[in-house]
Amino acid sequence: MRVLFIGGTGTISMAITKRLLAEGHKVYLLNRGTRNKELPTGAMGLTGDIEDEEQVCRLTEGMKFDVVADFIAFAPEHVERDYRMFKGRTGQYIFISSASAYQKPPSDYRMTEGTPLSNPKWQYSRDKIACEEFLMKKYREEAFPVTIVRPSHTYDERNVPIGLHGDNGSYQVVRRIKEGKPVLIPGDGTSLWTVTHNSDFAKGFVGLMGNIHAIGEAVQITSDETLTWNQIYRAVADALGVQLHPVRVSSDFLDSCSDYDYNGSMMGDKSNSVVFLNDKLKRLVPGFSAEKRFDQGVRESLAYIESHPECQILDPVFDAFCDRVVEALEQAKEYVRAGR
């Protein structure tokens, strides 16, 4: 296949690129070139700004693709732009949506592609829904060859999936666990969640590429492994060889006392129990199975992060926030006890 990825160097797209190259496909990556040093051998970089339609049309002049996938489309104007540029030039356009678009709070914890799309808590999710609606309208009215993919929480060797962190990612939480400091876990930690290694996601994604049965379809790609947040944090601590010191905190409280957008990422996503049923994916991609168990994948991620200082991004602001929350909860306990 001849493939064009818009973006192409992120957590999800990098694994897909590597898999396609290993299978002998021709892969073009269109991005601004800030991470071109990380491009896998064999990938062809096209340096440009996707927001500049004239520039992109010049870069891809005369080129047609079996598949175009946009990994950095987040709002309707992004997919409208892609539609203008690639209509008639690709056999399949893949939009990366999000499983956070599913109904929140859910009426049923079991998520399928038939679950209603509705998330009043998170603008990010509502924008993804609007993108899907535009593209499916173009499919129904003009046979625009779209496939919609809905990932959930996907990770790679450069990050550890955590339920609550600051603006600089999850490393500060890993550091707190490693140092034996109290770690905030939203809610009581028993809500169900699914994390998927990017190598497993790539298998499902590549199986949908060039697949005539995937045209006009929305497909979720996740692991079949379901964990509680308590189990996820415990697995991280076990991989570090330390004891976990959890402090479980109401998600409402965390959202109300911080400047972070936890209303969207928690109330509209991670605090809801969800279990993904991947029957549709397995029908479209026979033989698909997610093989990387979380306790295995997180050990690989932590080993990589510990050996790569550039991945060890500190977040003193979030660290201080955690300390204040822990202190406030301890003071609240003392206040209540004093009134006995």
Side-chain angles (χ1 to χ4, degrees):
M1 289 187 293
R2 185 172 181 161
V3 178
L4 173 66
F5 285 168
I6 301 167
T9 58
T11 297
I12 289 176
S13 54
M14 185 69 83
I16 300 168
T17 297
K18 290 178 179 178
R19 188 174 186 92
L20 287 170
L21 291 171
E23 294 181 5
H25 301 288
K26 184 174 288 188
V27 183
Y28 294 86
L29 303 182
L30 173 63
N31 54 56
R32 293 180 178 177
T34 56
R35 294 182 61 184
N36 277 355
K37 291 182 180 179
E38 301 178 28
L39 295 185
T41 301
M44 288 162 281
L46 297 174
T47 302
D49 183 353
I50 188 60
E51 299 292 343
D52 188 338
E53 289 189 39
E54 290 185 8
Q55 181 191 45
V56 172
C57 288
R58 287 196 303 271
L59 285 170
T60 61
E61 186 176 3
M63 301 172 72
K64 288 192 175 184
F65 304 95
D66 297 297
V67 178
V68 171
D70 193 337
F71 293 88
I72 53 174
F74 301 104
E77 57 266 26
H78 299 157
V79 294
E80 291 167 10
R81 172 204 63 211
D82 290 353
Y83 165 76
R84 288 192 298 269
M85 288 193 293
F86 298 110
K87 177 186 178 182
R89 300 178 61 198
T90 182
Q92 182 183 32
Y93 174 86
I94 302 182
F95 171 62
I96 292 77
S97 185
S98 170
S100 70
Y102 289 131
Q103 182 185 61
K104 302 295 186 307
S107 58
D108 189 328
Y109 70 94
R110 294 164 296 187
M111 297 288 131
T112 72
E113 290 80 0
T115 298
L117 303 182
S118 173
N119 193 332
K121 297 288 187 179
W122 205 2
Q123 185 62 47
Y124 165 82
S125 304
R126 294 195 296 275
D127 286 342
K128 289 288 190 178
I129 293 170
C131 291
E132 289 197 24
E133 290 173 344
F134 170 82
L135 291 167
M136 290 307 295
K137 184 174 186 292
K138 292 302 180 183
Y139 167 71
R140 290 190 297 269
E141 295 179 355
E142 303 175 19
F144 183 63
V146 63
T147 297
I148 292 166
V149 170
R150 297 179 186 144
S152 185
H153 200 158
T154 308
Y155 71 104
D156 66 1
E157 73 278 4
R158 296 173 292 185
N159 64 83
V160 173
I162 290 295
L164 182 74
H165 58 74
D167 294 333
N168 291 344
S170 62
Y171 178 71
Q172 189 67 56
V173 181
V174 171
R175 189 180 178 93
R176 288 183 71 90
I177 296 173
K178 191 175 181 180
E179 294 176 348
K181 298 180 72 173
V183 177
L184 304 182
I185 299 179
D188 64 1
T190 62
S191 58
L192 302 175
W193 196 242
T194 299
V195 289
T196 307
H197 196 269
N198 68 343
S199 61
D200 285 325
F201 183 91
K203 286 191 292 184
F205 192 95
V206 171
L208 296 174
M209 295 177 68
N211 186 332
I212 60 171
H213 303 293
I215 302 298
E217 299 285 352
V219 188
Q220 61 193 28
I221 304 177
T222 76
S223 170
D224 290 320
E225 181 182 24
T226 302
L227 302 161
T228 66
W229 282 112
N230 287 330
Q231 289 174 316
I232 289 171
Y233 279 81
R234 178 71 64 185
V236 175
D238 289 346
L240 291 168
V242 299
Q243 183 177 354
L244 180 68
H245 299 281
V247 176
R248 299 175 181 89
V249 194
S250 160
S251 298
D252 285 319
F253 177 79
L254 288 167
D255 178 44
S256 65
C257 69
S258 80
D259 293 328
Y260 298 109
D261 181 21
Y262 290 147
N263 185 56
S265 62
M266 279 198 309
M267 310 303 290
D269 198 22
K270 295 185 179 72
S271 65
N272 298 272
S273 282
V274 291
V275 174
F276 295 96
L277 305 182
N278 290 306
D279 297 20
K280 185 174 185 179
L281 173 64
K282 292 171 183 176
R283 288 197 304 272
L284 292 170
V285 187
F288 170 82
S289 65
E291 299 175 356
K292 186 80 70 173
R293 209 171 60 213
F294 178 65
D295 62 315
Q296 300 168 334
V298 77
R299 288 180 183 276
E300 294 175 7
S301 296
L302 288 167
Y304 184 92
I305 291 168
E306 290 296 308
S307 62
H308 289 75
E310 70 274 11
C311 296
Q312 300 168 24
I313 304 173
L314 298 178
D315 193 338
V317 175
F318 178 74
D319 199 45
F321 168 74
C322 293
D323 290 338
R324 289 197 303 274
V325 171
V326 172
E327 181 182 4
L329 292 174
E330 289 300 320
Q331 290 175 351
K333 287 180 187 177
E334 293 301 320
Y335 177 79
V336 173
R337 288 183 184 132
R340 290 177 181 172

